[in-house]
Amino acid sequence: MVPSTKERPLPRWGRGDASAPSPVASLRCSSLLEWTCRPGSPVSLGPRLACLLGAQAAQALVAVAARPWQRSQQRMPPALERAEGCWAWVVLLAAVVAQGLTLGFPTCIGIFFTELQWEFQANNSETSWFPSILTAMLHAGGLGLCFSFQSTITVLGFYFTRRRALANAVASVGVSLGITLWPLLARHLLEELGWRGTFLVFGGVFLHCCVCGAILRPVAPSVAPAPREGPSVPSKTPAPGCLAACGRAILRHLAFDILWHNAGYRVFTLGVTWMILGFPLPQVFLVPFAMRHGIDEHKAALLISIIGFSNIFLRPMAGLVAGRQNFARYRKYLFSLAVLLNGLTNLVCTVSANFRVLVVYCLVYSVSMSVVGALFFQVLMDVVPMDRFSRALGLCTILESISILISPPMAGLVLDNTDSNFSYVFYMSSFFLVSAALFMGGGFCALQKKERQGRPAEAEAAVPESAPLRALGREDTGSPEKRLCTEEIMYVTSV
């Protein structure tokens, strides 16, 4: 028995289904179905057979009629932005805000150091795990803050080519703004809401990173697309095992291959990893050091804000100077010199704890810190090609996070064993910074000397190749044929 049309309902489409027909197509198909089922119709085939065939025909017509509508509903590809265009400056503003929210935040952790120590009745070594874990996860966690600042740094390298050094310096101004505002906001909220309520407010402030991420649009490639290759010939060698494939993937994605083959990147990464063992210590322990020597809590928090406020003006100046063509080849040495000055400056805190002396220390410390902050990513872009920058940055930050995770607890352990003598903390910071600066400066000099020694050998090898050109130059080039041949050879050689 043929089922009736009530027992065989027509298919239904959800509102979000891309294959749903338009209302006009549905109206036309329902009219056709009624027309074929009508007894007086010229093409009437009987009520049941006509309705059955009409239902199948209606479904086919619906599918045909819905095709143009389905094509119009397909998602259009996102528009690609142009490098060095107007939107690049909007992305730069987003990078300023994102870096101020993320990289500038750990500097205010010293405000909560004494409060957390009293709340949990912990010693210096145990309390130091709080800022160390926070900063380590910021650099290598794969969590929110890590995603926010690394994506903005990477995308700046694609949006800016000629003004890349200036863009990195301006973006690092966001860190300076964060260093200036986070301690003041933390001190105020700590007095009003306590440390638990303050962290809740901080969580709401960090939601602004979502807005910054929405601004980062893809950039149009500036190079021609690679030519299409033919079908690859299957290799006769056996496929590597699971462990070998995993090892190759780790080496490829974590940039260990770059670390092994790129000597400049190896010197920079190892030097920075050693440097980070001492670089964050003044930012973590400066406030507890000042409060231990009788300085008011608000004045102690003001010291960190002085460092951040000075960096607002010093970082763009450092970026402008380093972005000039005359300083392009000396950026690596300028970075090493700034690390050396930063380490020597920390010795001031071992001499005096007077508030005025600490203010002068913060101003001098800001000079070296601004140069380090403005040149860090630019030097990394100089030693690594831009297409490998994201991988190189990922490995560098992972190694940094290991140093950050170790450094504050190690300094806290020193404080516990020396009756809270902060001078040893600043001695330790100076040691790591000075030794890292000497390592990077000496390593870059050795690599440059090796490169200079390799240039004469390359020039000698190029002499036999240029001999035919000199022979052509001695011949008579009066005829147009010979003159055309010489011009073509010179053009190819110049390319």
Side-chain angles (χ1 to χ4, degrees):
M1 183 178 66
V2 180
S4 63
T5 55
K6 294 182 180 180
E7 298 175 355
R8 297 172 56 89
L10 293 177
R12 298 180 180 179
W13 293 276
R15 293 184 178 180
D17 192 355
S19 62
S22 63
V24 178
S26 300
L27 181 60
R28 291 177 179 175
C29 295
S30 60
S31 302
L32 176 64
L33 182 60
E34 295 177 358
W35 184 58
T36 55
C37 295
R38 190 179 304 169
S41 176
V43 292
S44 179
L45 301 176
R48 292 185 178 180
L49 183 59
C51 289
L52 177 62
L53 296 177
Q56 296 177 355
Q59 294 179 14
L61 287 176
V62 165
V64 174
R67 286 178 184 174
W69 184 79
Q70 292 175 6
R71 296 193 188 101
S72 64
Q73 294 296 318
Q74 290 179 354
R75 187 177 181 181
M76 299 296 293
L80 299 178
E81 297 294 336
R82 183 171 55 89
E84 300 282 351
C86 298
W87 192 254
W89 301 101
V90 182
V91 172
L92 180 59
L93 179 61
V96 170
V97 177
Q99 293 193 29
L101 293 175
T102 55
L103 294 180
F105 175 70
T107 56
C108 74
I109 299 302
I111 305 295
F112 303 95
F113 193 89
T114 306
E115 187 75 16
L116 293 173
Q117 192 173 16
W118 178 83
E119 176 77 16
F120 297 101
Q121 297 298 314
N123 54 27
N124 292 297
S125 179
E126 293 172 345
T127 312
S128 299
W129 281 105
F130 167 60
S132 66
I133 293 175
L134 171 66
T135 314
M137 296 299 289
L138 168 65
H139 284 80
L143 301 180
L145 295 182
C146 181
F147 284 164
S148 298
F149 95 88
Q150 286 201 11
S151 59
T152 55
I153 291 170
T154 304
V155 80
L156 282 180
F158 293 100
Y159 268 99
F160 292 92
T161 53
R162 293 183 293 106
R163 303 185 181 94
R164 186 174 295 166
L166 177 62
N168 287 320
V170 173
S172 64
V173 173
V175 184
S176 307
L177 290 172
I179 296 174
T180 305
L181 300 177
W182 276 120
L184 300 178
L185 179 62
R187 184 75 255 174
H188 175 72
L189 293 177
L190 183 61
E191 294 178 353
E192 298 292 334
L193 304 175
W195 67 270
R196 290 183 173 86
T198 302
F199 287 170
L200 288 176
V201 176
F202 285 171
V205 175
F206 284 134
L207 290 176
H208 291 82
C209 293
C210 301
V211 182
C212 300
I215 296 177
L216 307 182
R217 298 177 181 174
V219 189
S222 57
V223 296
R228 295 183 178 180
E229 300 179 356
S232 59
V233 180
S235 178
K236 297 182 179 179
T237 58
C242 182
L243 293 178
C246 293
R248 292 179 182 178
I250 292 174
L251 291 176
R252 183 173 64 254
H253 292 290
L254 291 184
F256 282 107
D257 55 341
I258 305 176
L259 185 67
W260 181 259
H261 295 96
N262 192 331
Y265 176 67
R266 184 163 58 248
V267 170
F268 177 79
T269 303
L270 296 179
V272 166
T273 304
W274 186 257
M275 176 196 77
I276 294 297
L277 289 172
F279 188 74
L281 294 182
Q283 305 171 25
V284 175
F285 292 99
L286 181 60
V287 175
F289 166 72
M291 293 174 60
R292 182 173 178 81
H293 288 81
I295 297 178
D296 183 63
E297 298 177 356
H298 296 277
K299 289 185 177 180
L302 186 62
L303 293 175
I304 301 295
S305 298
I306 290 174
I307 296 176
F309 185 76
S310 303
N311 274 258
I312 294 176
F313 306 99
L314 293 174
R315 291 204 182 200
M317 293 174 58
L320 287 174
V321 173
R324 297 175 61 88
Q325 287 296 117
N326 300 334
F327 288 90
R329 56 185 299 184
Y330 302 107
R331 276 196 285 254
K332 298 176 287 189
Y333 307 105
L334 187 60
F335 177 80
S336 304
L337 182 62
V339 175
L340 178 64
L341 178 62
N342 192 277
L344 296 176
T345 306
N346 292 331
L347 297 176
V348 176
C349 296
T350 64
V351 178
S352 174
N354 184 270
F355 180 72
R356 295 183 179 179
V357 176
L358 292 181
V359 169
V360 176
Y361 158 75
C362 291
L363 293 175
V364 180
Y365 179 86
S366 300
V367 177
S368 59
M369 182 182 178
S370 62
V371 178
V372 171
L375 294 184
F376 181 87
F377 301 108
Q378 182 59 42
V379 172
L380 183 58
M381 292 178 183
D382 291 340
V383 299
V384 176
M386 199 57 217
D387 57 343
R388 301 181 180 180
F389 175 75
S390 59
R391 295 168 52 210
L393 177 62
L395 179 60
C396 187
T397 53
I398 288 175
L399 296 178
E400 282 179 24
S401 65
I402 299 175
S403 300
I404 294 173
L405 188 64
I406 299 173
S407 178
M410 185 168 55
L413 185 63
V414 171
L415 288 176
D416 292 334
N417 294 329
T418 57
D419 196 17
S420 297
N421 190 347
F422 284 88
S423 297
Y424 291 100
V425 174
F426 290 100
Y427 279 129
M428 185 173 67
S429 175
S430 298
F431 167 74
F432 286 118
L433 288 167
V434 172
S435 57
L438 296 178
F439 171 76
M440 287 188 291
F444 288 138
C445 287
L447 290 177
Q448 186 175 8
K449 183 178 179 180
K450 184 178 180 181
E451 183 181 356
R452 289 177 179 177
Q453 292 177 353
R455 288 176 181 174
E458 295 178 359
E460 292 177 0
V463 169
E465 298 178 1
S466 59
L469 297 180
R470 289 198 299 267
L472 285 175
R474 297 192 193 100
E475 297 178 358
D476 184 19
T477 55
S479 62
E481 292 82 0
K482 292 184 178 180
R483 196 160 37 240
L484 179 61
C485 179
T486 306
E487 291 177 357
E488 290 178 354
I489 294 177
M490 292 300 297
Y491 174 74
V492 173
T493 307
S494 64
V495 172

